[in-house]
Amino acid sequence: MASNSTVPKCPAPMKATSNGVFQGDNPLDFALPLAILQICLVVVLTRGLAFLLRPLRQPRVIAEIVGGVLLGPSALGRNLTYLHAVFPPKSLTVLDTLANLGLLFFLFLVGLELDPKSLRRTGKKALCIAISGISLPFVLGIGSSFALRATISEGVSKAPFLVFMGVALSITAFPVLARILAELKLLTTDIGQMAMSAAAVNDVAAWILLALAIALSGTKNSPVISVWVLVCGCAFVIVCILVVPPVFKWMENRCPEGEPVNETYVCAILASVLAAGFVTDSIGIHALFGAFVIGVLVPKEGPFAGALVEKVEDLVSGLFLPLYFVSSGLKTNVATIQGAQSWGLLALVISTACIGKIVGTVGVSLMCRVPFREALALGFLMNTKGLVELIVLNIGKDRGVLNDQTFAVMVLMALFTTFITTPLVMAVYKPAQLGKTEYKHRAIQRKNLNSQLRILACFHSVRNLPTLINTIEASRGTEKREGLIVYAMHLMELSERSSAIQMVHKARRNGLPFWNKGQNSDTNQIVVAFETFQRLSRVVIRPMTAISPMNTMHEDICASAERKEAAMVILPFHKHQRLDGQLETTRNDFRHVNRRVLEHAPCSVGILVDRGLGGTAQVSASSVDSGITVIFFGGNDDREALAYGARMAEHPGINLVVIRFTVHPDVVGEIVRVNVDESSDGEPGAAKSADEHFLAEFKEKIVNDGSVRYEERAVRNGAEAVEAIRELSRCNMFLVGRIPEGELVASLNGKRECPELGPVGSLLISPDFSTTASVLVVQQYRSKLSLESLASLRVRDSPERDSGNS
């Protein structure tokens, strides 16, 4: 009995909830409040670091890895009082369980966004790059493992350690790479598509190798057990391939397009993820493999994928996944790296990882005739590690293959290689500079009217399409001209949500028809709309995709306009029409995109206010019957609007009315005091003489054209001009200049809800102006905008106006 008294007692397990501080309980001694505090601390720290690293264009995973290391024993954890209070040893089981549960569903999302069909379509070039990007680092990783085993990793199992080191150095993180490519505007380029294809192949190979490493590390007694683990793992995958897809297909067929996915099916799939995780964990591989396999087998084309991502991603990526980085950080102690030998081994591992990936990728890329700069950038991109690397390292740590010092070395290697990717790629590869071209026709107004017209037409969603397509149809001109080429650009936001990776697959079709083989065009309204228009019209449509954060989306638009030598960019207005006819803000971020494009565009710009030109459906060429009204006061923008209107008037179904407003002779100089003979460029009389010359040419061309009516109205003040414009409200579309010039325009200046539309555009969209006509507000390209034009783009938004209706 006496001997029993010397045995230390195990600490009591933590209870779930406390009775509160008023009853003497410390919330940090209970599992639930402590977990809540840990989650809140992690989210605040990682989001704060992500905000600080945003100017460096680093992916969020960098902030999460650094945050995890800072919360662990490497930094804040040096204070034992903090460490035992916030992350006590008895809470780590709960923390690891939550973290691995989040990781389980995150790997399901990664599998969900990895399309097996795209792997089968991977080109030989990308496949060769992927194989070289795996083989050489894997071999070098095995080589460096001998140096580590002889020093800081003595005593570990040889075979598992060799394989773990090879896998750790050969990985390319597919999700993180997608973020970096999108941030650098490379997602839709040749190098971006090649990198994503190679990374997808690399990802699948890495998981297979990791399964092998886990199987080897799972036994210390007999290699036969490792063989059984591998055989059972392969059998699980085969059974899933045979059984799961038909079941998912049956579910998909019972969920029609456009209808919400049945909650029962969503729960069934999420439960199957957990069940698959249980099976693979029981086999001895890891629970995340089962989740990944189920994600890969979910149908990608139907509504299932989107519904599942919507249900799972925010909770997992926002709250639970960052816990995994903290769990890793608590196992990482940089202080264990001591002495010249340890730091030398860290340098060895980093250099081995970089040399293996970069040399292997660059060498094969050059053999495939990829230019050197692109090959070097591709090598840097394939060196991205991130979350997948941490998964491998944590499994190795939990299986006893990696000790504390080796684990810390490998975490720092993953952090360093991912951090340097963005700055190195930016330094060696600048596609905007490499592709920069000079072109002649940057505006609609030009001397050679028979030259080809190129328009970059942007849209956010299906809602923008009918009016956009009908506007394009009206712009096609006559058969005598060289024709119209329209680049239809779908603007898609890249968010921090994991589902943004799905847009990668759409971006890989950039520059190709939306109706590629293998796609079901009936399920995509955008596909149907453009396919129908292309078949019925003589206009050439070339679809494109811009995937970007909202704050840099204008860069994609301007770069594409430059690359495609567009004469005009047409942008959708940031408001849409409600059923009662009023305009309502869709999203204020779109407004800022439009303003930045107006300021930086390499060509003319038009903002299209959609009130249903031609109705809510596409109008065939033979059925077009629209009235277009051009309001002309004077100046560059008004001349551009009239030049566009003149081209539209060539369509047999378009009737054009041009109203030029002039100052009544009795009140010249009395409306407001402005110098009407001075252009925006500061050259006296230049604007007026240019207007007169342009109008003289226009009137000469329309002498025998019955579809065009030109009229001049002399008004005494701005109020009379507004009343005259109201009389024209029954047309189908107004074409106006953004910043018209002259004495009358100055008298219209007042409170404008949307200054970027200019005085006339703001009048036409105001709730006081009753019309069902769409409005196209045009800005002519100039190498340098006028001060008035720039000022209108930098007016601060009114929260009262932007929060609700017009």
Side-chain angles (χ1 to χ4, degrees):
M1 297 291 293
S3 61
N4 291 338
S5 62
T6 61
V7 177
K9 293 183 179 181
C10 295
M14 297 181 75
K15 293 182 179 180
T17 58
S18 72
N19 295 318
V21 293
F22 295 109
Q23 298 191 40
D25 284 348
N26 181 0
L28 298 185
D29 292 334
F30 296 83
L32 180 62
L34 182 59
I36 293 173
L37 175 64
Q38 290 170 344
I39 292 173
C40 293
L41 180 63
V42 169
V43 170
V44 170
L45 179 61
T46 54
R47 294 287 172 157
L49 288 172
F51 177 78
L52 294 176
L53 292 173
R54 188 177 299 169
L56 300 178
R57 307 179 83 168
Q58 293 293 333
R60 198 174 75 192
V61 67
I62 291 290
E64 290 170 332
I65 295 175
V66 172
V69 173
L70 290 178
L71 289 172
S74 299
L76 296 176
R78 289 178 176 273
N79 185 327
L80 297 181
T81 304
Y82 148 81
L83 191 63
H84 290 153
V86 182
F87 295 102
K90 58 184 178 181
S91 74
L92 296 184
T93 301
V94 176
L95 180 67
D96 285 344
T97 302
L98 289 174
N100 280 281
L101 192 62
L103 180 67
L104 191 76
F105 281 104
F106 179 78
L107 263 295
F108 166 68
L109 292 175
V110 172
L112 193 68
E113 293 160 347
L114 189 65
D115 189 359
K117 293 180 181 178
S118 67
L119 291 180
R120 289 198 295 269
R121 293 192 298 266
T122 300
K124 292 182 180 178
K125 187 183 295 185
L127 186 61
C128 292
I129 291 172
I131 293 173
S132 66
I134 296 172
S135 348
L136 184 58
F138 190 84
V139 172
L140 292 179
I142 292 177
S144 63
S145 66
F146 287 102
L148 292 173
R149 284 191 76 248
T151 51
I152 62 176
S153 298
E154 290 179 317
V156 298
S157 301
K158 183 176 181 180
F161 185 69
L162 297 182
V163 179
F164 264 103
M165 286 297 298
V167 173
L169 267 65
S170 61
I171 277 177
T172 297
F174 178 83
V176 180
L177 180 61
R179 293 278 185 274
I180 292 175
L181 288 170
E183 188 68 36
L184 296 179
K185 310 295 181 189
L186 297 176
L187 204 51
T188 57
T189 62
D190 291 339
I191 186 175
Q193 295 179 38
M194 198 180 304
M196 290 307 300
S197 297
V201 175
N202 192 305
D203 220 23
V204 173
W207 292 118
I208 295 172
L209 290 172
L210 181 58
L212 173 64
I214 293 173
L216 291 173
S217 66
T219 178
K220 298 180 180 178
N221 300 319
S222 171
V224 177
I225 297 178
S226 298
V227 175
W228 272 110
V229 170
L230 286 175
V231 170
C232 291
C234 294
F236 168 78
V237 173
I238 293 171
V239 170
C240 285
I241 292 174
L242 295 176
V243 175
V244 173
V247 176
F248 286 166
K249 194 68 178 176
W250 176 81
M251 292 181 180
E252 182 188 14
N253 293 335
R254 297 176 65 88
C255 298
E257 184 76 25
E259 297 286 333
V261 176
N262 192 313
E263 184 184 357
T264 304
Y265 300 146
V266 174
C267 290
I269 293 177
L270 296 182
S272 68
V273 172
L274 296 174
F278 174 80
V279 172
T280 51
D281 189 78
S282 301
I283 290 173
I285 306 178
H286 197 285
L288 60 86
F289 281 96
F292 179 74
V293 170
I294 296 296
V296 171
L297 297 178
V298 171
K300 306 298 188 290
E301 300 296 334
F304 257 33
L308 290 169
V309 167
E310 186 178 347
K311 301 284 185 185
V312 176
E313 64 180 349
D314 287 335
L315 184 64
V316 170
S317 300
L319 291 181
F320 290 132
L321 191 61
L323 293 180
Y324 191 77
F325 294 98
V326 173
S327 178
S328 302
L330 292 173
K331 301 172 188 174
T332 306
N333 189 355
V334 179
T336 59
I337 306 176
Q338 295 179 347
Q341 184 189 67
S342 296
W343 287 105
L345 290 171
L346 173 62
L348 171 67
V349 170
I350 291 176
S351 58
T352 303
C354 294
I355 290 171
K357 274 289 182 184
I358 296 170
V359 172
T361 303
V362 171
V364 173
S365 299
L366 292 175
M367 291 172 62
C368 295
R369 298 183 180 179
V370 176
F372 178 73
R373 281 182 176 272
E374 293 187 17
L376 193 58
L378 200 55
F380 292 145
L381 288 168
M382 295 299 289
N383 200 32
T384 304
K385 303 294 183 187
L387 175 62
V388 184
E389 176 80 3
L390 281 189
I391 295 172
V392 174
L393 298 180
N394 274 281
I395 293 175
K397 181 78 164 60
D398 295 339
R399 295 296 176 110
V401 178
L402 304 178
N403 60 22
D404 291 344
Q405 193 170 354
T406 308
F407 182 80
V409 166
M410 299 302 290
V411 168
L412 290 182
M413 179 273 294
L415 184 62
F416 177 80
T417 53
T418 307
F419 186 87
I420 64 171
T421 299
T422 299
L424 286 178
V425 173
M426 290 175 66
V428 302
Y429 185 71
K430 298 180 175 62
Q433 290 184 4
L434 296 176
K436 193 170 183 179
T437 58
E438 291 295 332
Y439 59 98
K440 183 178 180 181
H441 299 302
R442 295 178 180 265
I444 304 292
Q445 182 186 351
R446 57 187 68 173
K447 292 181 179 180
N448 182 11
L449 298 179
N450 292 322
S451 57
Q452 186 182 74
L453 177 62
R454 298 183 173 214
I455 293 177
L456 178 66
C458 304
F459 61 95
H460 302 133
S461 64
V462 177
R463 178 187 292 160
N464 308 134
L465 292 184
T467 294
L468 180 63
I469 289 178
N470 292 333
T471 302
I472 293 170
E473 167 60 31
S475 309
R476 62 181 171 85
T478 64
E479 294 182 3
K480 296 178 182 179
R481 296 195 172 185
E482 292 183 13
L484 171 65
I485 295 181
V486 176
Y487 299 93
M489 175 174 277
H490 190 184
L491 304 179
M492 304 172 69
E493 180 186 10
L494 180 79
S495 67
E496 286 289 347
R497 303 169 72 172
S498 59
S499 64
I501 305 171
Q502 286 185 337
M503 293 188 288
V504 172
H505 302 299
K506 298 177 183 178
R508 292 170 72 176
R509 301 194 301 272
N510 179 48
L512 300 175
F514 282 119
W515 46 94
N516 282 343
K517 292 181 180 180
Q519 284 190 295
N520 184 2
S521 62
D522 295 333
T523 63
N524 192 320
Q525 297 180 50
I526 295 176
V527 172
V528 173
F530 280 106
E531 182 179 18
T532 304
F533 181 64
Q534 175 117 322
R535 287 176 178 173
L536 299 178
S537 173
R538 292 187 297 275
V539 178
V540 178
I541 299 287
R542 294 182 180 173
M544 303 172 65
T545 309
I547 302 178
S548 176
M550 293 297 283
N551 62 341
T552 59
M553 188 172 285
H554 67 283
E555 296 177 9
D556 279 4
I557 297 171
C558 294
S560 296
E562 181 91 24
R563 218 165 32 241
K564 303 302 182 183
E565 300 186 3
M568 174 173 281
V569 175
I570 297 180
L571 301 167
F573 191 44
H574 71 279
K575 296 187 179 185
H576 67 271
Q577 189 175 30
R578 300 186 316 198
L579 293 176
D580 61 1
Q582 296 297 312
L583 293 174
E584 182 179 48
T585 299
T586 304
R587 185 172 168 184
N588 208 42
D589 287 346
F590 294 145
R591 180 181 193 177
H592 299 303
V593 172
N594 290 354
R595 285 182 170 183
R596 294 185 185 109
V597 173
L598 285 167
E599 184 173 354
H600 301 290
C603 59
S604 294
V605 181
I607 296 181
L608 181 58
V609 182
D610 181 6
R611 287 199 180 105
L613 176 64
T616 58
Q618 175 192 341
V619 179
S620 62
S622 59
S623 303
V624 173
D625 184 14
S626 300
I628 308 292
T629 299
V630 177
I631 300 174
F632 191 95
F633 287 92
N636 293 309
D637 294 349
D638 277 16
R639 293 197 296 273
E640 184 74 353
L642 182 52
Y644 199 179
R647 184 181 180 95
M648 286 184 165
E650 296 174 5
H651 194 291
I654 299 293
N655 295 304
L656 179 67
V657 176
V658 181
I659 306 295
R660 183 193 185 189
F661 288 97
T662 59
V663 181
H664 197 282
D666 294 345
V667 293
V668 171
E670 296 180 8
I671 300 177
V672 289
R673 290 191 173 184
V674 295
N675 185 357
V676 296
D677 290 331
E678 185 171 328
S679 74
S680 59
D681 297 325
E683 298 178 5
K688 187 173 181 179
S689 61
D691 290 343
E692 296 298 339
H693 178 71
F694 179 75
L695 288 171
E697 289 184 347
F698 173 74
K699 287 186 283 187
E700 183 180 344
K701 291 175 184 176
I702 65 169
V703 171
N704 298 319
D705 191 345
S707 65
V708 181
R709 178 165 63 90
Y710 176 82
E711 181 182 340
E712 291 191 3
R713 293 196 184 184
V715 294
R716 298 177 181 275
N717 51 46
E720 284 190 17
V722 172
E723 288 305 315
I725 294 173
R726 290 184 189 278
E727 297 174 7
L728 308 169
S729 61
R730 293 187 178 181
C731 65
N732 299 103
M733 173 179 272
F734 283 102
L735 274 173
V736 299
R738 193 174 82 82
I739 303 294
E741 300 172 9
E743 190 175 358
L744 280 172
V745 176
S747 69
L748 293 175
N749 286 339
K751 290 185 178 180
R752 304 176 192 169
E753 185 178 352
C754 297
E756 67 270 18
L757 296 185
V760 183
S762 296
L763 169 68
L764 295 175
I765 69 157
S766 67
D768 300 331
F769 190 89
S770 179
T771 184
T772 58
S774 297
V775 182
L776 184 61
V777 182
V778 177
Q779 172 184 278
Q780 188 177 60
Y781 170 73
R782 277 160 283 176
S783 57
K784 185 177 181 181
L785 296 180
S786 66
L787 294 178
E788 180 184 0
S789 182
L790 288 172
S792 67
L793 299 176
R794 295 170 181 174
V795 176
R796 289 190 176 183
D797 302 332
S798 170
E800 291 83 4
R801 293 169 183 168
D802 280 325
S803 60
N805 307 340
S806 296

